[in-house]
Amino acid sequence: MTTKQLSIFLENKTGRLNDVAKILSESSINMKAFSIADNTDFGILRVLVSDTDKAYQILKQNGFAVKFTDVITLHISNTPGSLYSILDLLATANIYIEYMYAFSEGEQASVVIRPDNLEEAVKVLKQNNIQ
Amino acid sequence: MIWNQAAECMSREEKRRLQSQRLKELVARVYANCEPYRKRMQEAGVTPDDIQSIDDIAKLPFTSKKDLRDYYPWGMLSAPLSDIVRIHASSGTTGKPIVAGYTANDLKIWEEVGARCLAAFGMDKNDVFHVSYGYGLFTGGLGAHGAGQNLGATVIPMSVGNTEKQLLMMHDLGATAIACTPSYALYLTEALEKSGIPREEFKLRVGVLGAEPWTEAMRKEIEQRLQIKAYDIYGLTEIIGPGVGHECEFQCGTHLHDDHFYPEIIDPETGEVLPEGSTGELVFTTLTKEGMPLIRFRTRDLTRLVYEKCQCGRTTVRMEKILGRSDDMLIIRGVNVFPSQVEAVLCEMEEVEPHFFITVDRVNNTDTFDIQVEVKEQFYTDDIKGMVKLQKKVVAKLQSVIGISPNIILSEPRSIERSQGKAKRVLDKRKFQ
């Protein structure tokens, strides 16, 4: 259920995201999902990749500020209400979501969640048979 | 009006005779009473007897800002402390200010040159003079105050802050002239516009503006919006304060009171005196001061001197707009900022690298002050909140040391150029032409 996500600090300037994409593609690393949080001066790229350790090493070698962050990834059905039931479980357990992003394909949807209390979140979800 | 016709319109030959006489007296006085100067001259192999005319000034060693800090606080005085009646000070790089001591006669000289400036701005004893420079160690407030009083104007010692009250006093007391920084003049303009009080109810007509560099565009804006005539008054704490020079009604350079403050233009690299009309570093010798007279004080300001008689009738030498500084001090929003201060603060913080890049610009007549810094790898966080918190911490630290608040731009590791030798860490995009 938990996955290692890479968080990369990026200056807000044209082409910076291209650089990351290029470096990863040159090492044949695939990006499975990503999101960007930003303010006026900088952004943080959060990404799930096919080979996390390799991507981490390569980005570091190329001078990026990159960190591992543990996140929860869930595969749920791409139907109305399925996200709500999960969010409701976490809210009821008083777990705060720092950020999340999602993508869907066909009947499946995937959700990446960064809760403030990872252990507790995993526990709650498992108790409710959510994978 | 010309306040002191004799002094301000004297022929060049007559001026040179006066300067030569005053220089001789100054050197004798300083040699006898100020140890650092005596030592300096002995090292250079010069005695007071070698100084017979103003041209001999080139034989004398220079004085730098560093000397004033090294001999802090009283080492550069040429008069006993018992004769010093006033102290002023300006901010320094390392927390130690530059302290200047004035004798009663020095204050008289200051009031004299100050009155000359105000008279050149068309002011006289009928003016109500609102002084919005800070009163205190800063020379602005008390300097303008003394000048106004000597002129015979009605001086309102407002000092800085409380804009509403400033407007109220200016309105109710019928101020006709205001002394403040150009940026504060603009700030006041906005406040006045917002207040809804009709401009006709104010009698303001003259702005005595200085203490920071400003552009022609800024002057135009102040003049149009505040409906006053805006004049530049020039001064340095080390020399005496505001009153070293002024513009006249033709606004074609800054007239320097060269019967009291002798200016030279030197090559900042070699220290050689440059031929008349050259651009170089401005150097001042205070010919008549007693408390802390300075010989060949290097201002680090780059400019050019014009010796032709002005249309206004004055023969005092004119200085063109200052082009920039030959060292790295920046004046941002009227505050002296040294890159070394920024470096010192960043070095103390464990979260950031000591590398930085300062960009200064002027947008809508306000100085912008950006500092790009690099966060140490282990301190990057996964969330914006954490990074913003770090950003604010850097701003607060810097603000507490340098007095103004920079805009901190967090950047990626090693994104700031590392240079060999002297790092280029400042880009000043402001144009004062």
Side-chain angles (χ1 to χ4, degrees):
Chain A
M1 185 183 285
T2 60
T3 317
K4 273 197 189 338
Q5 168 200 268
L6 295 180
S7 305
I8 305 154
F9 179 89
L10 295 177
E11 282 172 40
N12 259 0
K13 59 183 183 196
T14 314
R16 213 49 196 134
L17 196 54
N18 303 18
D19 297 339
V20 176
K22 186 168 176 241
I23 288 162
L24 294 180
S25 82
E26 281 169 352
S27 304
S28 306
I29 293 165
N30 189 37
M31 287 192 261
K32 295 193 283 188
F34 73 89
S35 86
I36 296 171
D38 68 353
N39 76 356
T40 50
D41 295 322
F42 59 86
I44 296 163
L45 171 66
R46 293 148 184 164
V47 58
L48 298 182
V49 294
S50 53
D51 189 340
T52 312
D53 289 331
K54 190 174 160 194
Y56 178 83
Q57 289 306 329
I58 287 163
L59 287 167
K60 261 221 143 55
Q61 279 163 22
N62 280 278
F64 283 92
V66 50
K67 284 178 84 92
F68 288 122
T69 315
D70 287 321
V71 292
I72 293 172
T73 49
L74 298 173
H75 304 290
I76 56 175
S77 73
N78 189 10
T79 52
S82 55
L83 179 61
Y84 166 71
S85 62
I86 291 164
L87 296 181
D88 195 42
L89 284 173
L90 295 176
T92 309
N94 237 342
I95 291 163
Y96 176 76
I97 295 173
E98 287 181 353
Y99 58 83
M100 65 180 286
Y101 48 101
F103 50 100
S104 65
E105 199 184 349
E107 294 186 358
Q108 274 273 306
S110 301
V111 187
V112 182
I113 299 173
R114 169 70 187 173
D116 61 345
N117 187 336
L118 191 84
E119 270 181 40
E120 187 65 20
V122 170
K123 205 172 102 192
V124 169
L125 293 169
K126 279 193 171 153
Q127 277 166 1
N128 288 275
N129 295 319
I130 290 161
Q131 295 300 307
Chain B
M1 197 199 97
I2 298 175
W3 179 255
N4 187 337
Q5 192 86 27
E8 296 178 77
C9 303
M10 170 185 302
S11 74
R12 220 173 149 188
E13 295 69 46
E14 210 184 328
K15 175 80 59 71
R16 280 178 55 82
R17 272 199 298 277
L18 181 70
Q19 288 168 335
S20 298
Q21 182 56 35
R22 286 182 168 173
L23 181 67
K24 270 162 69 177
E25 289 166 11
L26 169 75
V27 171
R29 196 161 68 237
V30 160
Y31 193 86
N33 301 316
C34 182
E35 207 196 320
Y37 272 128
R38 185 166 52 244
K39 267 199 191 150
R40 253 334 137 71
M41 284 176 63
Q42 282 165 350
E43 279 163 22
V46 195
T47 67
D49 290 340
D50 295 324
I51 308 303
Q52 291 305 319
S53 93
I54 193 70
D55 293 329
D56 294 325
I57 199 166
K59 295 176 184 166
L60 295 166
F62 291 109
T63 311
S64 67
K65 269 196 204 318
K66 187 177 176 293
D67 293 324
L68 300 183
R69 282 195 290 272
D70 289 350
Y71 296 104
Y72 168 90
W74 309 125
M76 294 301 285
L77 291 185
S78 288
L81 204 52
S82 56
D83 286 351
I84 300 295
V85 299
R86 173 91 68 76
I87 290 301
H88 281 288
S90 77
S91 53
T93 47
T94 51
K96 284 256 167 101
I98 282 170
V99 171
Y102 299 67
T103 64
N105 197 49
D106 291 340
L107 292 182
K108 256 191 211 148
I109 293 168
W110 194 9
E111 287 168 6
E112 154 70 18
V113 293
R116 288 185 198 174
C117 298
L118 301 185
F121 303 158
M123 291 171 61
D124 60 29
K125 67 192 185 69
N126 299 309
D127 276 291
V128 177
F129 187 31
H130 184 103
V131 179
S132 296
Y133 282 124
Y135 278 66
L137 286 174
F138 175 48
T139 51
L142 285 164
H145 186 102
Q149 227 166 252
N150 189 29
L151 185 76
T154 308
V155 182
I156 310 171
M158 275 308 297
S159 198
V160 289
N162 198 344
T163 306
E164 264 174 54
K165 190 160 184 202
Q166 299 256 2
L167 285 178
L168 177 96
M169 294 291 273
M170 229 185 286
H171 176 267
D172 293 358
L173 305 187
T176 54
I178 180 169
C180 61
T181 61
S183 39
Y184 191 68
L186 272 178
Y187 184 79
L188 263 181
T189 306
E190 275 162 22
L192 194 149
E193 285 164 358
K194 253 191 237 157
S195 75
I197 311 171
R199 175 63 180 84
E200 305 85 74
E201 291 185 15
F202 288 87
K203 292 185 177 156
L204 212 55
R205 59 180 180 84
V206 176
V208 180
L209 313 182
E212 67 181 17
W214 49 313
T215 57
E216 271 310 309
M218 204 162 165
R219 189 210 301 271
K220 274 202 192 104
E221 188 173 350
I222 294 168
E223 290 191 336
Q224 276 167 16
R225 287 177 62 190
L226 199 53
Q227 295 166 50
I228 59 168
K229 187 98 175 119
Y231 293 97
D232 190 43
I233 184 163
Y234 174 71
L236 306 85
T237 304
E238 296 87 350
I239 301 306
I240 206 153
V244 174
H246 64 87
E247 287 178 329
C248 64
E249 66 267 36
F250 295 98
Q251 298 187 321
C252 50
T254 300
H255 285 272
L256 299 174
H257 298 121
D258 52 357
D259 52 331
H260 292 289
F261 317 112
Y262 181 76
E264 296 172 89
I265 295 289
I266 63 158
D267 179 328
E269 300 291 321
T270 64
E272 247 171 271
V273 178
L274 295 175
E276 215 174 286
S278 311
T279 298
E281 183 181 335
L282 180 65
V283 170
F284 276 114
T285 298
T286 62
L287 296 174
T288 49
K289 265 174 79 182
E290 299 171 343
M292 195 180 77
L294 297 180
I295 290 176
R296 307 192 85 200
F297 175 72
R298 296 186 60 160
T299 64
R300 300 285 170 186
D301 285 335
L302 300 176
T303 184
R304 190 174 158 263
L305 296 178
V306 178
Y307 289 87
E308 283 88 56
K309 182 179 170 179
C310 181
Q311 297 174 69
C312 69
R314 289 177 185 83
T315 54
T316 43
V317 62
R318 278 171 289 151
M319 171 183 87
E320 288 187 348
K321 258 217 181 314
I322 291 167
L323 289 172
R325 294 201 163 250
S326 60
D327 65 1
D328 60 2
M329 188 183 88
L330 294 158
I331 301 181
I332 306 172
R333 294 173 215 147
V335 176
N336 295 355
V337 176
F338 292 85
S340 54
Q341 292 175 300
V342 173
E343 185 170 31
V345 171
L346 297 180
C347 283
E348 271 175 28
M349 296 189 69
E350 56 163 353
E351 298 94 334
V352 294
E353 301 283 356
H355 308 285
F356 63 94
F357 195 87
I358 298 175
T359 308
V360 187
D361 203 349
R362 190 164 277 187
V363 180
N364 296 328
N365 289 315
T366 302
D367 290 336
T368 61
F369 180 23
D370 291 345
I371 307 176
Q372 197 186 340
V373 302
E374 283 179 17
V375 180
K376 282 191 188 142
E377 291 217 37
Q378 64 270 34
F379 288 100
Y380 283 101
T381 61
D382 176 42
D383 58 30
I384 297 280
K385 247 191 313 183
M387 297 306 288
V388 169
K389 201 172 147 196
L390 174 56
Q391 195 174 22
K392 283 188 177 150
K393 190 174 168 187
V394 181
V395 170
K397 272 259 179 195
L398 281 163
Q399 152 123 49
S400 71
V401 173
I402 58 186
I404 57 169
S405 175
N407 175 39
I408 293 297
I409 299 168
L410 300 179
S411 19
E412 294 172 22
R414 285 164 298 277
S415 58
I416 297 166
E417 198 193 322
R418 314 296 203 247
S419 56
Q420 311 293 318
K422 200 170 156 57
K424 183 170 167 17
R425 295 174 309 191
V426 179
L427 177 62
D428 193 342
K429 293 172 156 176
R430 295 174 296 183
K431 288 185 178 67
F432 298 116
Q433 294 290 42

